[in-house]
Amino acid sequence: MHVEGHPYRTVWSDPEQAVVRIIDQRKIPWEFEVEDLSSAQEVATAIRDMHVRGAGCIGATAAYGMWLAARQAEGSPERLAELASALVETRPTARNLGWAVERQLEALRDLPPDKWVEASLAGAEAIADEDASWCKRIGQHGLPLLSAIHEQKPGNEPVQVLTHCNAGWLAFTDWGSATAPIYAAHRAGIPIHVWVDETRPRNQGARLTAWELQNEGVPHTVIVDNAGGHLMQHDQVDIVITGTDRTTCSGDVANKIGTYLKALAAHDNDIPFYVALPSSTFDWECRDGMGDIPIEERNGDEVSIVEGRTNKGGLEEVHLVNPDSPTSNYAFDVTPARLVTGLITERGICDATEQAIATLFPSTGRK
Ligand code: MRU
């Protein structure tokens, strides 16, 4: 995807400098900065403190972190396992993180230590490439949904899509999940307009999704999180597409806090609610989303303090909440499968049911 006309991925390696390069998402949209990470610990900090975020991007970054871990382990399986655990423990909800680290460990398991560095770099590049190509395919599979809506609309009216949080290319290595059908449709000449939920408390929609769509020239409008239901009641939304951080084998969807409320409003208004995901986001071991998906709780400061640009151009934090009131900060919620119209994956679209998912992904090692 593009930043001021230049193509970028969210994470890549520089083997000569032995560093992993990431786009520091904490600075967007105010500044565009690339950060170098030179140890697995620095990668862990970047994931925990959300320099990088979004399920696919976290997974790919951790995969590159395993390359740095292999360099640091110097042939010790115990040290490698320790660094791998430190990466996995950074964020509990996004499945892609554990998936990528487990895949890297598995690839190294039977290799002699002198092959670890080379193999883990190749593994990380493969995970990043796969993430980009899976997201591109999600776009190709989702495109007909948007073109069918467009054909039903009078004149050349834009398809109105609502999305929550940032499941765009910044949340993956490229293309994004929820945004991939939008980018595909936009490039195919289908008029699209995106309602972007601001997504409190960290404002991934207002800051990241809006910035991405602007860089790709996709018309969009940022709304407060509570506006979606009103827009749906007034025929201003044709389809909702979100991403997901972990989806069970039965189709329950964990995604950024507030997603469930959008699904309820969409259901009440007969608006299709789709979730886009690569297969690396499925948790094949988990069936009960409400009971078994770990929901990350983050620092309450994210609720009470907000960062923004002042009229004078500086970046500042301001306090929003009554100083002596406690805060709570659940980062994700679970939308039950019954509220999900369909899952858009790299293999096609399926119902959010265990049977339909298993038909699309027959060999997954599900219990
Ligand atoms: O906490 P974040 O920013 O890492 O949250 C992840 C997300 O961006 C969303 O939940 C997104 O919709 C799914 S991630 C592809």
Side-chain angles (χ1 to χ4, degrees):
M1 290 286 128
H2 294 95
V3 180
E4 292 176 1
H6 298 284
Y8 272 95
R9 276 195 179 180
T10 50
V11 54
W12 63 99
S13 65
D14 181 341
E16 274 175 27
Q17 303 293 318
V19 294
V20 175
R21 300 224 150 92
I22 57 162
I23 297 172
D24 187 344
Q25 299 189 27
R26 296 170 306 168
K27 307 280 172 69
I28 293 173
W30 323 115
E31 286 156 31
F32 181 77
E33 268 183 31
V34 172
E35 182 182 5
D36 286 0
L37 308 172
S38 53
S39 67
Q41 293 88 340
E42 285 182 13
V43 171
T45 300
I47 295 173
R48 183 181 303 103
D49 296 347
M50 293 175 72
H51 309 200
V52 285
R53 35 130 324 270
C57 180
I58 292 173
T61 305
Y64 282 111
M66 286 299 294
W67 164 54
L68 299 177
R71 297 175 63 90
Q72 291 169 264
E74 295 177 333
S76 159
E78 293 75 23
R79 181 75 180 129
L80 186 68
E82 208 179 294
L83 293 168
S85 300
L87 286 167
V88 172
E89 281 159 16
T90 50
R91 300 209 55 198
T93 304
R95 171 61 196 140
N96 305 56
L97 173 57
W99 171 86
V101 171
E102 284 158 23
R103 179 162 143 173
Q104 287 283 62
L105 280 175
E106 186 61 32
L108 303 190
R109 187 153 294 135
D110 296 325
L111 283 183
D114 65 332
K115 298 280 184 224
W116 284 1
V117 173
E118 188 191 342
S120 57
L121 179 57
E125 305 288 10
I127 285 170
D129 287 349
E130 218 170 68
D131 184 81
S133 79
W134 285 349
C135 284
K136 189 171 181 189
R137 271 149 58 185
I138 287 169
Q140 288 159 354
H141 291 301
L143 170 59
L145 286 176
L146 300 181
S147 65
I149 293 170
H150 182 241
E151 280 162 22
Q152 300 288 318
K153 296 189 77 130
N156 201 26
E157 277 184 24
V159 178
Q160 300 284 354
V161 184
L162 185 143
T163 194
H164 190 68
C165 196
N166 172 258
W169 73 268
L170 289 169
F172 289 84
T173 57
D174 209 352
W175 289 97
S177 56
T179 53
I182 293 167
Y183 291 137
H186 180 67
R187 289 181 184 195
I190 296 168
I192 298 275
H193 170 265
V194 185
W195 296 109
V196 178
D197 283 353
E198 61 174 345
T199 320
R200 284 279 292 142
R202 288 188 67 104
N203 295 316
Q204 290 96 327
R207 295 179 64 152
L208 305 178
T209 306
W211 177 84
E212 272 194 26
L213 293 172
Q214 182 220 317
N215 273 285
E216 289 297 316
V218 179
H220 60 280
T221 305
V222 178
I223 52 175
V224 296
D225 290 328
N226 294 327
H230 171 79
L231 291 171
M232 291 184 207
Q233 286 174 324
H234 291 272
D235 296 328
Q236 297 294 305
V237 178
D238 296 311
I239 184 171
V240 180
I241 310 179
T242 74
T244 166
D245 300 85
R246 187 182 294 246
T247 288
T248 66
C249 65
S250 57
D252 293 337
V253 167
N255 195 49
K256 183 54 57 190
I257 193 81
T259 303
Y260 172 49
L261 293 177
K262 293 294 134 49
L264 283 172
H267 184 73
D268 193 46
N269 288 282
D270 273 333
I271 290 166
F273 182 94
Y274 281 89
V275 175
L277 73 161
S279 52
S280 44
T281 305
F282 279 111
D283 186 342
W284 304 114
E285 309 290 312
C286 182
R287 189 167 273 113
D288 173 14
M290 270 60 72
D292 294 338
I293 295 181
I295 299 294
E296 179 179 5
E297 286 185 62
R298 296 184 62 85
N299 195 307
D301 284 354
E302 291 182 352
V303 175
S304 54
I305 299 171
V306 74
E307 182 199 52
R309 189 174 235 172
T310 65
N311 287 339
K312 291 185 180 152
L315 278 187
E316 275 193 32
E317 289 184 339
V318 294
H319 292 251
L320 296 174
V321 174
N322 179 46
D324 293 327
S325 297
T327 51
S328 90
N329 188 10
Y330 293 97
F332 301 95
D333 61 24
V334 176
T335 298
R338 67 186 160 77
L339 297 177
V340 178
T341 310
L343 301 171
I344 312 171
T345 78
E346 76 270 18
R347 293 200 186 169
I349 299 179
C350 70
D351 290 344
T353 63
E354 186 154 2
Q355 196 186 11
I357 295 167
T359 304
L360 211 50
F361 296 95
S363 53
T364 54
R366 279 185 337 278
K367 277 183 184 163

